[in-house]
Every structure is written in structure tokens, then in C-alpha cells.
Amino acid sequence: MLKNKLDTTLKSICQYLKPVTYAENSYITEAGKPMDLMLFILDGVITWTSNTTSDAVTTAGSSIVTNLSHLEKGGLYGEELLSWVSPSSSLSTLPILAQDVKCQEKVEAFVINAVQLKIAVSELGMLWKNYYTSNNSQLSLPSDQTYLQIQKETYGQLEGTRLEEIEDEGSRQKFKIMMKEKDIHEWLSRNGIHEDLKTKVMRHINLKNIAVQNMDADVDLKYLNTHLPFDITISLKKHLCISTLKQVSMLQSMPEDMFTYICYRLEPVIYTQNSNVVQAGESLDFMLIITGEQLEELAHRRDKMDQILNETYVKYGTTKLEEIEDEELRQKVKVMIKEKDILEWVSRNVLDVDLKTQIMMHLKLNNIIEKSIDADVNVEYFKSHLPFDIATSLTKHLCISVLKKVPMLQSMPEDMFTYICYRLEPVIYAESSNIVRAGEPFDLMLIIIEGTIICTDQVIRNTRTITKYLNKGDFCGEELLSWASPNILFSGAAPISTRDVKCQTKVEAFILKASKLRSLVSEYSFKWISNFNNNCDNSEQSEELVLQPDKIEQILNETYKKLGITKLEEIEDEGLRKKVKIMMKEKDILEWVSRNGLDEDLKTQIMMHLKLNNIIEKSIDADVNVEYFKSHLPFDIAISLTKHLCISVLKKVPMLQSMPEDMFTYICYKLEPMIYTENSNIVRAGESLEYVLIIIQGTIIFTDMMTSKYLNKGDFCGEELLSWASPNIMFLGPAPLSTGEVKSQTKVEAFVLKADKLRSLVSEYSSKWISNFNNSAVGGV
């Protein structure tokens, strides 16, 4: 990607490079973390694993092969970061690493971090963009909208950076320039400038280095008028002024081009607070069009409207809108009333002045108040009439502070709350309406923006009723978070509500639906797993937060007792019977993973995948065993499970005890799960020994002419095959013959390494195998 760059471009990047040394076996970065650096290797070797998909079709779909990749002296790691910083990229966040990157030996390198690379590319501006797009045939010059989006994302990435944190003076200066450009961008947004015009302004500012040359100047109308070319300033004036000029009674019959001619003659002016614009008795020698909407104006506008409305009613001898006979006047009064309602709503919800201004500007400039004159002013009104960026800012303002109060979400990183806000939907409930009744699925989480909700719990044991009132800023339905979380495995339909939830008053709210929550957890599963608070103790569904087989057993027993039955088949209700079957299956899965000593991280990944993909329901009648997990888990999780179950056994095989660690991983890639029923023959005496076998569960009996030997969980069988496949032994031809009979005493779960896979492995890694295979340990069972 840097191959065709000019020397000046490369030198610009080089000035940010810093030398770094990594010790042998140290981690440069780890899986799941953002790729936030690019590394130029001067000496040493770094390694990581990468997955590739083959075209060969297997029973489980495409075959995935994991390769061990490495880079040596002269190599460049982190090239993906160049795509992230380049103008044509649509990436909004740093790429997330799928693997650990580790030093095989001591490494000397130069490094540049993501922020410094972003500053370097920003400094190069169009020079970078032109070379990047012209030398990548699959990439085209980004559209204006893409260009603007890239700038927005760049400014967003600067949010967490503070000037005083930057030590290098050059970097500090560049950071200040980017912040000045951000101020210009915000001024344009605040004044409702449309995307095309905003893009033209920002392109010119960037290309002409205007922010650099005017670092200390205030960003206002005069600043832009001074530094922008004529065509762009005229477009700005027309956007800011024509709608106001058309409201002047004496100009309402003017043709469209006259308004343009007026704009040619307009001059920008800035007045400081409390300055005199004109005093009584002085000549009035100009007409003024006000473009800045200030906090004071918004704060007092409501009261002014009340005054004007009252005066209007008195003047026309009426107390009601309907009694005004003049149609035009009645329409104007309706608009004023609607605007007053909007101002009251935004004030009541304590929006900051920038957001308040953006909302009011958009509604006015697009005549939305007039067009939706009869619509109620509520959260649905704003969500449906505002553009995505303003609507999202409004949602975040109203909801993030509430989400942060939810105990199960208190450890989530900031960006997760933004992702949740993207999926929230506004909803309005009428007074006395039911949101959910006890016994119905609770398939949403609700954040109250306005109004009061009553939650009524019926406590059966002592027939008590518990009533709880929820008001503005409260949340309801956090049980859904438990249901969707990786450690709460009651799969299937959404949880059943244990209470009646009803509106005491009209309620405005945002809701997170079950389907949207599932989608969110699936898309950001790593962050969710890492930060979801499973241990919070104030959830009313705390019993569901315990992933223990005996807890499910207790719930099943209580269910049977309540229904007066002793087995599943006696449950008449089909829906309830299905839910009980799912619970029983979850209990089997939990018992299996616990019995096999899986660590919490791996256990969580397995349960998460099974739940998010509804595998428990889809395979409700399948036996829970090693084949079940191998067939239903993705490659990376399945390999982790295989390694957990098998590597400790492989290391006990005498012929393999000198093998390096990575060889055991390569062996695990070749292993296949196998199930043997009780009393089945695995191999008979005199038959070909076709595989090495690792026992996961059950008992095998090996019998020859002299003895019988019992092999159990954690034992292995068939290591003669290792000798046969070794290049040092070279027993060519078919696999060796078994000297005894191998039979399963019980049902057996196992992994097998087939002869052809073993031969393939030895051929692929022959040097390592020859160097480390222990020939002196050759022997049978």
C-alpha cells in the first residue's frame, strides 16, 4: 500500500516513528484488542496464527485451516491501519485483532501508533488521498458524503485525547489544527448547513491550510466569509438568509433570483454581548438578518410566545384558537403554539444548547413545524423528523445516563452504550395501557422518558402484592439482559414476566427489543462477554444468574411439583413442554462442560455461541457429547476445546514428550471426534491399526493373549501408529496390525488421529518431527 507513495509522503510518516525493543516470547498485542500500531521490523521474528477457508466441502461446511504466520527483518506488521486512516475507508473504529502477536525471539523495530498515523495522514491531506486512490485500482475517489463522514469519524476519534497528554511539540501543533477544523465543522452543523455545502467548506479549509494560518481566530460567520472563495460564501449566505428574507412581508412577491442578488450584497457582522446595534434617534442604515440562535433566546422564547398568544386572544376577543375567524392568522397562531410545545419539550428534557439549536434549526429550515402541525410533540415526533445524526445525539442524551444505572451494564465501555442507542426505538403508551402482563413473554427493555409506570408483583406464597412505581429516568425489563447474556442459558423465547406492567399516565419511552438485543450481543460478543456484570446482586431475576446444573435441577423439580407430574411427557401444554426440554438440554450441556474442567472463558464462549445461534433448540434431541460440540461450534472455539481436552494427554505419550508446544496444536487440528456405543469393537486382533485414540469419557478394554488392560478418561491407545508414520522408522505400506482386541466396555467419547492424517502431519512438519520424535520410547499398549 506504501509501494507507490512519494518520498515526501514516506518521510512525513517516518518522522513519527519511534524505536522499540521487545523481549523474546513477549506479546506485542493480544486477540480482541484494537490494532493501534504499525511495526517496521529491524531484527527478530514475530508470529501469529491466521485462518483460511478451503473450497473443500465437509459435513460441517467449508473447511477452515489455521496457519502460523511470521514476519522477519524488513517486514511490516499492521498494514491494515493504512486502510483505516485513508480517506476512502468506511471504517469508524480501529480494526480488532483476531489473534495474539508474539515475539519468537528478541525483536528490534520502529513503531507508529494509530493517533500519530492519523495526524500524519491528516497533515498530508489531498496528497495522501490522491496517491492512495490512484494506486489502488479497486478504490475510487470518495464521494463528498464519504469524505465528510471520514472527517466526522476522525474528530470522533480525537474525543478521548487531551492536548496536555501530547508531549511532542509537532504533534501538539497538528492536534490543535485538527481541533480548529473540528470547531469549524461544528459551527456548520450548528447552523444547519447541508452535507454538500459542508463538504465544500471543509475541503477548502483543509486544502488551503486555513486552520493553520488562523489558529487563534474565532470561528464565526465573518471568519468563514473572509477565508472562503466567492462561490462558497454565496452558497452559505443563501442557505442562512434566503428563508429569512422570504418571511419579510414586502419581499414575499419577489422572484427567486432577486433573493440571490440581495445575498450578493450582504456583509457579515459580529456583535458582542450587550453591544448597541442601533440607538434611538440614529439613522437606520442597514437591514439585519440574525444567523446565530443563542441560549438566552431559546430560554425566553417560550415566555414571549405566551405573551404574544395572550395579546392575540385579547385583541380578537377570544380565548380559543378555534374562535379566530381569519384562516391565515389562525394558522400562524397554531405554528406558534406548536413551536412553544417543542421548546417546552426540549427544555423539560434539559438538552444542551448545541443540540437544542440543531433541533430547532432543522425543524424551522425544513418547515417541519408547519408540515406536522397536528402531530403530538413527543419522542416519536423528534425521532421521525430529525436526521440520523441529530436523532442519535438526542437518543444518547436521553438514554445513556439511564443505561449506566443498570447494574449489569455498569462495566461496559462507553462505545457499547452508543451501540445500544443505535438499536433503541421510540414508543408512546396511552394512559392505563398494559405494557406486559404477568405470564406473557417480556420481550423488551424500556427506558422511561416521560410519565409513570406501575409494576405489580403477585407473591404467591403469602398472597402479598408488591407495587413499584417507575418514573422519568427509570428502566424496566432488565431481565432481558440476563436472558441475552452469555452466562444465562435459558434459551428460546424471551423470559416470562412475573408481574403486570401498566401505564399510570401517558408514557414516552425508548425500547430495546429482544431481537435487537440478540443482534447487538452477537455483533459485539467479545466486548459483551468481557464487560457484562454477571455478579450484580439486585436483579429480581438473580436466580437465573447462576449457571449451575443443580440450580436448573431445582427449577425442574419445582415445575414438576407445581404441575403435579413426574416426567416431561406428562406436561400437556406444548409451549411449556418445549421450554422444559430446553432447560433439560442446557443442564446436560452444563454438566458436560463442568465434568470436563473447562475454564470460565472457554465455557462462556461455548454457551454464548450455542445460545445466540439457537443451537440448543435446533438440536434439542441430539446427545450432548464431543461430536455435538465439534459439529456446532465455530473453528476457533472448537479448536480451543480440542486442545483443552487432548494436549495434556498427548504430552503423556512417551514418543511425543520432546515435541515443541506448537506440534501439539498441529496434531489437534487433525483430530476428529468419535463416539462408540457400549460393547462395540474398536479394533480386533490382526486388523489394521488405523488411528491413535484419546479417551474423553468412558472405559476401553485392551485384551491380548497374555493380559487385559483397562483404559479410562485421559488415557490413549494406538501409539504404535506414531512409530509407523515416523520418517526415522519408515515402516512403509499399510498401517501396523493390532496385537490385541480393543473394545468399549461403556459408551466412549474420544478423539482419533487417523493414519492418513498422521502421515500428512509428519510430511508437513517433517523437520520438527524428525528432530523431536523419541524413537527409544517405541512400544505398544
Side-chain angles (χ1 to χ4, degrees):
M1 209 176 287
L2 293 174
K3 200 174 291 182
N4 298 315
K5 296 290 184 192
L6 290 175
D7 285 348
T8 52
T9 304
L10 299 176
K11 286 177 182 177
S12 181
I13 294 175
C14 285
Q15 67 178 322
Y16 290 95
L17 295 176
K18 292 185 178 179
V20 64
T21 301
Y22 296 99
E24 182 180 357
N25 293 325
S26 64
Y27 285 93
I28 295 172
T29 188
E30 297 177 18
K33 291 186 176 179
M35 178 182 281
D36 60 354
L37 57 82
M38 193 162 69
L39 199 74
F40 299 81
I41 302 173
L42 302 179
D43 200 16
V45 178
I46 65 170
T47 61
W48 69 94
T49 55
S50 59
N51 294 341
T52 57
T53 306
S54 72
D55 295 330
V57 177
T58 66
T59 55
S62 297
S63 174
I64 302 176
V65 180
T66 296
N67 302 311
L68 186 68
S69 302
H70 73 281
L71 279 175
E72 301 175 346
K73 180 177 180 178
L76 168 64
Y77 177 78
E79 188 176 352
E80 296 91 335
L81 217 55
L82 294 171
S83 298
W84 175 73
V85 300
S86 293
S88 55
S89 171
S90 61
L91 299 174
S92 59
T93 57
L94 287 167
I96 300 299
L97 287 162
Q99 66 278 319
D100 294 333
V101 182
K102 191 175 180 181
C103 298
Q104 186 172 322
E105 57 192 52
K106 178 183 174 182
V107 169
E108 296 177 34
F110 279 107
V111 67
I112 181 170
N113 66 38
V115 173
Q116 291 169 328
L117 186 58
K118 179 71 79 173
I119 292 172
V121 171
S122 176
E123 180 184 14
L124 289 164
M126 293 299 289
L127 186 62
W128 176 279
K129 178 182 74 62
N130 289 337
Y131 273 86
Y132 183 86
T133 54
S134 64
N135 291 309
N136 289 274
S137 57
Q138 294 181 343
L139 299 174
S140 59
L141 188 67
S143 66
D144 283 350
Q145 188 172 0
T146 304
Y147 175 86
L148 199 61
Q149 184 62 33
I150 291 167
Q151 283 214 317
K152 286 181 185 176
E153 290 164 358
T154 302
Y155 302 146
Q157 289 156 8
L158 296 176
E159 287 295 334
T161 308
R162 293 184 298 177
L163 183 64
E164 55 268 23
E165 294 174 349
I166 303 174
E167 296 178 359
D168 180 69
E169 183 57 36
S171 298
R172 284 169 61 88
Q173 183 68 9
K174 285 158 191 163
F175 180 80
K176 286 172 70 177
I177 292 167
M178 295 177 77
M179 294 307 294
K180 174 59 70 174
E181 290 180 353
K182 180 174 180 284
D183 290 344
I184 297 168
H185 187 278
E186 288 178 347
W187 188 96
L188 296 169
S189 298
R190 195 163 58 244
N191 284 279
I193 306 302
H194 59 77
E195 298 295 285
D196 287 344
L197 180 53
K198 194 186 296 184
T199 301
K200 290 177 182 177
V201 172
M202 295 309 299
R203 279 189 185 277
H204 183 83
I205 294 288
N206 190 274
L207 286 170
K208 299 298 183 181
N209 292 321
I210 289 170
V212 182
Q213 299 163 16
N214 303 274
M215 186 69 71
D216 299 320
D218 290 338
V219 176
D220 52 34
L221 188 59
K222 202 168 185 178
Y223 175 94
L224 295 171
N225 193 73
T226 303
H227 297 297
L228 292 175
F230 178 77
D231 59 331
I232 299 180
T233 56
I234 284 298
S235 297
L236 267 179
K237 289 177 184 178
K238 288 166 70 175
H239 173 84
L240 294 169
C241 301
I242 283 183
S243 60
T244 305
L245 289 168
K246 287 181 177 179
Q247 295 175 31
V248 179
S249 302
M250 288 179 279
L251 299 180
Q252 285 179 351
S253 300
M254 288 289 173
E256 193 68 27
D257 56 356
M258 278 303 297
F259 294 110
T260 299
Y261 299 147
I262 292 173
C263 286
Y264 289 156
R265 288 157 176 81
L266 292 174
E267 297 177 16
V269 65
I270 307 297
Y271 295 101
T272 59
Q273 186 175 353
N274 296 322
S275 62
N276 292 308
V277 177
V278 67
Q279 294 186 325
E282 294 180 345
S283 298
L284 187 60
D285 57 356
F286 56 79
M287 184 171 80
L288 194 74
I289 300 171
I290 303 171
T291 59
E293 197 153 341
Q294 300 301 319
L295 177 61
E296 290 81 4
E297 179 187 354
L298 288 173
H300 297 299
R301 193 174 180 88
R302 219 171 48 243
D303 298 333
K304 291 178 182 177
M305 286 183 179
D306 276 336
Q307 180 183 342
I308 295 168
L309 288 170
N310 290 335
E311 289 174 356
T312 302
Y313 291 149
V314 170
K315 181 177 179 180
Y316 289 90
T318 179
T319 58
K320 297 179 181 177
L321 175 67
E322 296 75 15
E323 294 175 359
I324 299 176
E325 295 179 359
D326 184 277
E327 177 62 33
E328 185 177 350
L329 177 61
R330 187 163 65 248
Q331 182 65 17
K332 288 180 180 177
V333 172
K334 282 182 73 174
V335 171
M336 290 177 67
I337 293 172
K338 178 61 65 178
E339 189 174 342
K340 175 175 175 287
D341 291 343
I342 294 167
L343 286 167
E344 286 179 341
W345 193 97
V346 297
S347 298
R348 189 166 62 245
N349 285 285
V350 201
L351 273 60
D352 62 63
V353 65
D354 282 347
L355 181 54
K356 196 183 298 185
T357 302
Q358 288 180 56
I359 291 171
M360 296 306 295
M361 286 291 287
H362 180 82
L363 296 179
K364 284 187 174 185
L365 290 172
N366 294 280
N367 296 317
I368 291 170
I369 297 174
E370 292 88 340
K371 292 174 185 175
S372 57
I373 197 71
D374 296 318
D376 290 340
V377 176
N378 53 39
V379 70
E380 278 188 343
Y381 175 90
F382 292 101
K383 191 77 172 180
S384 59
H385 289 117
L386 294 175
F388 176 79
D389 56 339
I390 301 178
T392 297
S393 296
L394 178 62
T395 305
K396 289 166 69 176
H397 170 83
L398 296 171
C399 299
I400 284 184
S401 60
V402 182
L403 289 168
K404 288 181 176 180
K405 294 191 294 185
V406 179
M408 286 177 271
L409 299 180
Q410 284 177 352
S411 299
M412 286 291 170
E414 194 69 26
D415 56 356
M416 276 303 296
F417 295 110
T418 298
Y419 301 146
I420 292 172
C421 286
Y422 290 154
R423 290 162 173 79
L424 294 175
E425 299 175 22
V427 65
I428 308 297
Y429 296 101
E431 182 179 350
S432 299
S433 61
N434 290 300
I435 297 174
V436 67
R437 297 177 185 273
E440 294 179 346
F442 207 154
D443 59 356
L444 56 88
M445 180 177 165
L446 184 139
I447 297 171
I448 303 172
I449 306 303
E450 198 72 46
T452 302
I453 284 174
I454 307 174
C455 299
T456 306
D457 273 284
Q458 197 73 33
V459 183
I460 298 173
R461 291 172 187 169
N462 53 12
T463 66
R464 288 189 298 114
T465 297
I466 299 176
T467 301
K468 185 178 180 182
Y469 292 86
L470 301 176
N471 300 294
K472 178 175 182 174
D474 289 330
F475 54 88
C476 176
E478 63 272 27
E479 304 96 312
L480 205 64
L481 297 173
S482 301
W483 166 78
S485 81
N487 289 358
I488 318 306
L489 253 286
F490 295 107
S491 304
I496 301 300
S497 178
T498 59
R499 55 198 172 182
D500 292 326
V501 182
K502 189 174 182 179
C503 299
Q504 186 181 36
T505 65
K506 175 187 172 183
V507 170
E508 298 180 42
F510 278 94
I511 59 171
L512 178 61
K513 292 181 178 177
S515 58
K516 295 289 181 72
L517 177 58
R518 268 276 171 91
S519 168
L520 173 79
V521 173
S522 177
E523 188 173 354
Y524 301 101
S525 56
F526 183 83
K527 282 191 177 183
W528 191 274
I529 290 170
S530 303
N531 298 286
F532 186 76
N533 185 3
N534 300 306
N535 300 316
C536 59
D537 57 8
N538 70 332
S539 169
E540 296 176 14
Q541 300 294 316
S542 58
E543 285 195 7
E544 290 187 6
L545 295 176
V546 185
L547 262 187
Q548 297 174 351
D550 58 350
K551 182 59 67 174
I552 298 181
E553 184 74 37
Q554 178 185 338
I555 296 170
L556 288 171
N557 290 337
E558 289 175 357
T559 302
Y560 288 158
K561 185 177 180 182
K562 182 178 179 181
L563 297 173
I565 60 174
T566 57
K567 51 187 176 180
L568 177 69
E569 294 73 18
E570 295 176 0
I571 300 176
E572 295 180 359
D573 183 271
E574 178 63 30
L576 179 59
R577 187 162 64 249
K578 183 178 179 181
K579 287 175 184 175
V580 171
K581 281 185 74 174
I582 291 170
M583 290 175 68
M584 292 171 69
K585 178 62 66 177
E586 288 171 356
K587 176 175 174 285
D588 292 343
I589 294 168
L590 287 168
E591 286 178 340
W592 193 96
V593 297
S594 298
R595 187 167 62 242
N596 284 285
L598 273 62
D599 61 59
E600 289 303 310
D601 283 346
L602 181 55
K603 190 187 300 185
T604 298
Q605 289 179 58
I606 291 172
M607 301 305 272
M608 179 80 164
H609 180 81
L610 295 179
K611 182 172 183 180
L612 289 177
N613 294 281
N614 295 319
I615 290 169
I616 296 174
E617 296 169 68
K618 293 174 185 175
S619 57
I620 196 72
D621 296 318
D623 290 340
V624 177
N625 53 40
V626 70
E627 277 189 344
Y628 175 91
F629 292 101
K630 192 77 173 181
S631 61
H632 291 303
L633 294 175
F635 177 79
D636 57 337
I637 301 178
I639 281 297
S640 296
L641 177 62
T642 306
K643 289 167 68 176
H644 169 83
L645 295 171
C646 299
I647 284 184
S648 60
V649 181
L650 289 168
K651 287 181 176 180
K652 294 191 293 184
V653 179
M655 286 177 274
L656 300 180
Q657 285 177 351
S658 299
M659 288 289 171
E661 193 70 25
D662 55 355
M663 277 304 298
F664 294 110
T665 298
Y666 301 146
I667 293 172
C668 286
Y669 292 154
K670 311 285 186 185
L671 293 175
E672 299 175 22
M674 189 74 75
I675 306 297
Y676 297 99
T677 57
E678 184 180 351
N679 294 322
S680 61
N681 289 304
I682 297 172
V683 66
R684 297 178 186 274
E687 293 180 345
S688 295
L689 189 61
E690 295 292 342
Y691 42 74
V692 178
L693 184 141
I694 297 171
I695 303 171
I696 305 303
Q697 196 71 39
T699 301
I700 284 174
I701 307 175
F702 174 82
T703 307
D704 60 14
M705 297 178 62
M706 303 292 293
T707 59
S708 292
K709 184 177 181 180
Y710 291 85
L711 301 175
N712 299 296
K713 178 177 180 176
D715 290 330
F716 55 89
C717 175
E719 66 270 29
E720 304 96 315
L721 210 61
L722 299 174
S723 304
W724 165 79
S726 172
N728 292 0
I729 307 298
M730 294 303 292
F731 288 116
L732 301 176
L737 302 181
S738 176
T739 58
E741 184 176 81
V742 183
K743 189 173 183 179
S744 58
Q745 185 183 35
T746 65
K747 176 185 173 182
V748 170
E749 297 179 44
F751 277 96
V752 298
L753 177 60
K754 293 182 177 177
D756 59 338
K757 294 288 181 71
L758 176 58
R759 266 282 170 88
S760 169
L761 174 77
V762 173
S763 174
E764 191 173 353
Y765 302 102
S766 56
S767 176
K768 283 191 177 183
W769 190 274
I770 291 170
S771 303
N772 299 284
F773 187 75
N774 186 0
N775 300 307
S776 61
V778 174
V781 171

